[in-house]
Amino acid sequence: LVVSNFTPVVRQGYRVGVPAGGWWREVVNTDAAIYGGGDVGNGGGATAEPTASHGRDWSLTLTLPPLATLILERA
């Protein structure tokens, strides 16, 4: 899953649909401190909930860092 926030504002509680439940690990966060960013993120990942969104039966609630991209994979 790739999610980008092209605004300069942190988006808290952003819900995005995913194809399956379980833990989704944050593989890349371009706002991470190792890239010189502010380290805003999701603590390493998020658990999908059985709440429909974007045409999917499962969804994640994410914090989207400003001007950044997240890559998550189902663990």
Side-chain angles (χ1 to χ4, degrees), residues 2-75:
V2 178
V3 183
S4 295
N5 179 6
F6 296 111
T7 73
V9 178
V10 175
R11 301 294 179 186
Q12 300 279 350
Y14 187 86
R15 184 171 296 278
V16 60
V18 293
W23 178 253
W24 287 72
R25 183 172 64 95
E26 197 173 77
V27 179
V28 173
N29 175 349
T30 63
D31 192 57
I34 61 170
Y35 302 125
D39 222 17
V40 174
N42 297 281
T47 301
E49 304 166 343
T51 302
S53 183
H54 299 109
R56 302 287 187 160
D57 292 332
W58 294 85
S59 61
L60 299 171
T61 302
L62 301 172
T63 297
L64 303 183
L67 302 170
T69 296
L70 303 176
I71 300 175
L72 297 101
E73 71 176 359
R74 187 166 176 247

